[in-house]
Coordinates of all heavy atoms in Angstrom, one line a residue:
A1151 N 12.6 -0.1 12.3 CA 12.5 -1.5 12.1 C 11.4 -1.7 11.0 O 10.4 -1.0 11.1 CB 12.0 -2.2 13.3
A1152 N 11.8 -2.4 10.0 CA 10.8 -2.6 8.8 C 9.5 -3.2 9.3 O 9.4 -4.0 10.2 CB 11.4 -3.4 7.7
R1153 N 8.4 -2.8 8.6 CA 7.0 -3.5 8.9 C 6.4 -3.9 7.6 O 6.6 -3.4 6.5 CB 6.1 -2.4 9.4 CG 6.6 -1.7 10.7 CD 5.5 -0.8 11.3 NE 5.0 0.2 10.3 CZ 3.9 0.8 10.4 NH1 3.0 0.5 11.5 NH2 3.4 1.7 9.5
S1154 N 5.8 -5.1 7.7 CA 5.0 -5.6 6.5 C 3.7 -5.0 6.5 O 3.0 -4.7 7.5 CB 4.9 -7.1 6.6 OG 4.3 -7.5 7.8
L1155 N 3.2 -4.6 5.2 CA 2.0 -3.9 5.0 C 0.8 -4.8 5.4 O 0.7 -6.0 5.1 CB 1.8 -3.5 3.6 CG 0.6 -2.7 3.2 CD1 0.7 -1.3 3.8 CD2 0.5 -2.6 1.7
S1156 N -0.2 -4.2 6.1 CA -1.4 -5.0 6.5 C -2.6 -4.2 6.0 O -2.5 -3.0 5.8 CB -1.4 -5.1 8.0 OG -1.6 -3.9 8.7
A1157 N -3.7 -4.9 6.0 CA -5.0 -4.3 5.6 C -5.4 -3.2 6.6 O -5.9 -2.2 6.3 CB -6.1 -5.4 5.6
A1158 N -5.0 -3.4 7.9 CA -5.4 -2.4 9.0 C -4.6 -1.1 8.6 O -5.2 0.0 8.8 CB -5.0 -2.9 10.3
M1159 N -3.4 -1.2 8.2 CA -2.6 0.0 7.9 C -3.2 0.7 6.7 O -3.3 2.0 6.7 CB -1.2 -0.4 7.5 CG -0.3 -0.9 8.7 SD 1.3 -1.4 8.0 CE 2.0 -2.3 9.4
V1160 N -3.6 0.0 5.7 CA -4.3 0.6 4.5 C -5.6 1.3 5.0 O -5.8 2.4 4.5 CB -4.6 -0.5 3.5 CG1 -5.4 0.1 2.3 CG2 -3.2 -1.0 2.9
D1161 N -6.3 0.7 5.7 CA -7.7 1.3 6.1 C -7.5 2.5 7.0 O -8.4 3.4 6.9 CB -8.5 0.3 7.0 CG -9.0 -0.9 6.1 OD1 -9.0 -0.8 4.9 OD2 -9.3 -2.0 6.7
A1162 N -6.4 2.6 7.7 CA -6.1 3.8 8.5 C -5.4 5.0 7.8 O -5.2 6.0 8.5 CB -5.3 3.3 9.8
S1163 N -5.1 4.8 6.5 CA -4.3 5.8 5.9 C -5.2 6.7 4.9 O -6.1 6.1 4.3 CB -3.2 5.1 5.1 OG -2.3 4.4 6.0
D1164 N -4.8 8.0 4.9 CA -5.5 8.9 3.9 C -4.8 9.0 2.7 O -5.4 9.3 1.6 CB -5.5 10.3 4.6 CG -6.3 10.3 5.9 OD1 -7.5 9.9 5.9 OD2 -5.7 10.6 7.0
L1165 N -3.4 8.8 2.6 CA -2.7 9.0 1.4 C -1.5 8.0 1.4 O -0.9 7.8 2.5 CB -2.1 10.4 1.4 CG -1.3 10.8 0.1 CD1 -2.2 11.0 -1.1 CD2 -0.5 12.1 0.4
F1166 N -1.2 7.4 0.2 CA -0.1 6.5 0.1 C 1.0 7.1 -0.8 O 0.6 7.5 -1.9 CB -0.6 5.2 -0.5 CG -1.6 4.5 0.4 CD1 -3.0 4.7 0.1 CD2 -1.3 3.7 1.4 CE1 -4.0 4.2 0.8 CE2 -2.3 3.1 2.2 CZ -3.6 3.4 1.9
I1167 N 2.2 7.1 -0.4 CA 3.3 7.6 -1.2 C 4.2 6.3 -1.5 O 4.7 5.6 -0.6 CB 4.2 8.5 -0.6 CG1 3.3 9.9 -0.2 CG2 5.3 9.0 -1.5 CD1 4.0 11.0 0.5
V1168 N 4.2 5.9 -2.8 CA 4.8 4.6 -3.2 C 6.1 4.8 -3.9 O 6.3 5.9 -4.5 CB 3.8 3.8 -4.1 CG1 4.2 2.4 -4.3 CG2 2.4 3.8 -3.3
G1169 N 7.0 3.9 -3.7 CA 8.3 4.0 -4.3 C 8.3 4.1 -5.8 O 9.0 5.0 -6.4
T1170 N 7.6 3.2 -6.5 CA 7.7 3.1 -8.0 C 6.3 2.9 -8.5 O 5.4 2.5 -7.8 CB 8.6 2.0 -8.5 OG1 8.1 0.7 -8.2 CG2 10.0 2.2 -7.9
G1171 N 6.1 3.1 -9.8 CA 4.8 2.8 -10.5 C 4.4 1.4 -10.4 O 3.3 1.1 -10.1
A1172 N 5.4 0.5 -10.4 CA 5.1 -0.9 -10.3 C 4.7 -1.3 -8.9 O 3.7 -2.1 -8.7 CB 6.3 -1.8 -10.7
E1173 N 5.2 -0.7 -7.9 CA 4.8 -0.9 -6.5 C 3.5 -0.3 -6.3 O 2.7 -0.8 -5.5 CB 5.9 -0.4 -5.6 CG 7.2 -1.2 -5.6 CD 8.4 -0.5 -5.0 OE1 8.3 0.8 -4.8 OE2 9.4 -1.2 -4.6
R1174 N 3.2 0.8 -6.9 CA 1.9 1.4 -6.8 C 0.7 0.5 -7.4 O -0.3 0.2 -6.8 CB 1.8 2.8 -7.4 CG 0.4 3.4 -7.3 CD 0.3 4.7 -8.3 NE 0.3 4.2 -9.6 CZ 1.0 4.8 -10.6 NH1 1.6 5.9 -10.4 NH2 1.0 4.4 -11.8
D1175 N 1.1 -0.1 -8.5 CA 0.1 -1.0 -9.1 C -0.1 -2.3 -8.2 O -1.2 -2.8 -8.2 CB 0.6 -1.4 -10.5 CG 0.6 -0.3 -11.5 OD1 0.0 0.8 -11.2 OD2 1.3 -0.4 -12.5
E1176 N 0.9 -2.7 -7.7 CA 0.8 -3.9 -6.8 C 0.0 -3.6 -5.6 O -0.8 -4.4 -5.0 CB 2.2 -4.4 -6.4 CG 2.2 -5.6 -5.5 CD 1.5 -6.9 -6.1 OE1 1.3 -6.9 -7.3 OE2 1.2 -7.8 -5.3
L1177 N 0.3 -2.4 -5.0 CA -0.6 -2.0 -3.7 C -2.0 -2.0 -4.1 O -2.9 -2.4 -3.4 CB 0.0 -0.6 -3.3 CG -0.9 0.1 -2.2 CD1 -0.9 -0.7 -1.0 CD2 -0.4 1.5 -2.0
A1178 N -2.3 -1.3 -5.4 CA -3.7 -1.2 -5.8 C -4.3 -2.6 -6.0 O -5.5 -2.8 -5.8 CB -3.8 -0.3 -7.0
R1179 N -3.5 -3.6 -6.6 CA -4.0 -4.9 -6.8 C -4.4 -5.6 -5.5 O -5.5 -6.2 -5.4 CB -3.0 -5.7 -7.5 CG -3.4 -7.1 -8.0 CD -2.3 -8.0 -8.6 NE -1.4 -8.3 -7.5 CZ -1.7 -9.4 -6.6 NH1 -2.7 -10.0 -6.7 NH2 -0.8 -9.7 -5.7
R1180 N -3.6 -5.5 -4.4 CA -3.8 -6.1 -3.2 C -5.0 -5.4 -2.4 O -5.7 -6.0 -1.7 CB -2.6 -6.1 -2.4 CG -1.4 -7.0 -3.0 CD -0.3 -7.1 -1.9 NE 0.9 -7.7 -2.5 CZ 2.0 -7.9 -1.9 NH1 2.0 -7.6 -0.5 NH2 3.1 -8.3 -2.4
H1181 N -5.0 -4.1 -2.6 CA -5.8 -3.2 -1.7 C -6.6 -2.3 -2.7 O -6.1 -1.1 -2.8 CB -5.1 -2.6 -0.6 CG -4.4 -3.5 0.3 ND1 -5.0 -4.2 1.3 CD2 -3.0 -3.8 0.3 CE1 -4.0 -4.8 1.9 NE2 -2.9 -4.7 1.3
P1182 N -7.6 -2.6 -3.5 CA -8.2 -1.8 -4.4 C -8.6 -0.4 -3.8 O -8.6 0.6 -4.6 CB -9.4 -2.5 -4.9 CG -9.0 -4.0 -4.6 CD -8.2 -4.0 -3.4

């Protein structure tokens, strides 16, 4: 079941694997 990204998920993660470069940039914009 799909999940929407939350700040808690980001804080708990050591590494992020992102689909595309644009999605990586958007992840970094929302969560520096």
Side-chain angles (χ1 to χ4, degrees):
R1153 304 188 305 163
S1154 57
L1155 183 68
S1156 68
M1159 294 178 192
V1160 172
D1161 290 343
S1163 299
D1164 299 301
L1165 181 73
F1166 303 90
I1167 301 178
V1168 188
T1170 66
E1173 289 164 342
R1174 182 193 62 219
D1175 294 343
E1176 178 61 17
L1177 172 63
R1179 187 189 69 79
R1180 297 187 191 183
H1181 303 279

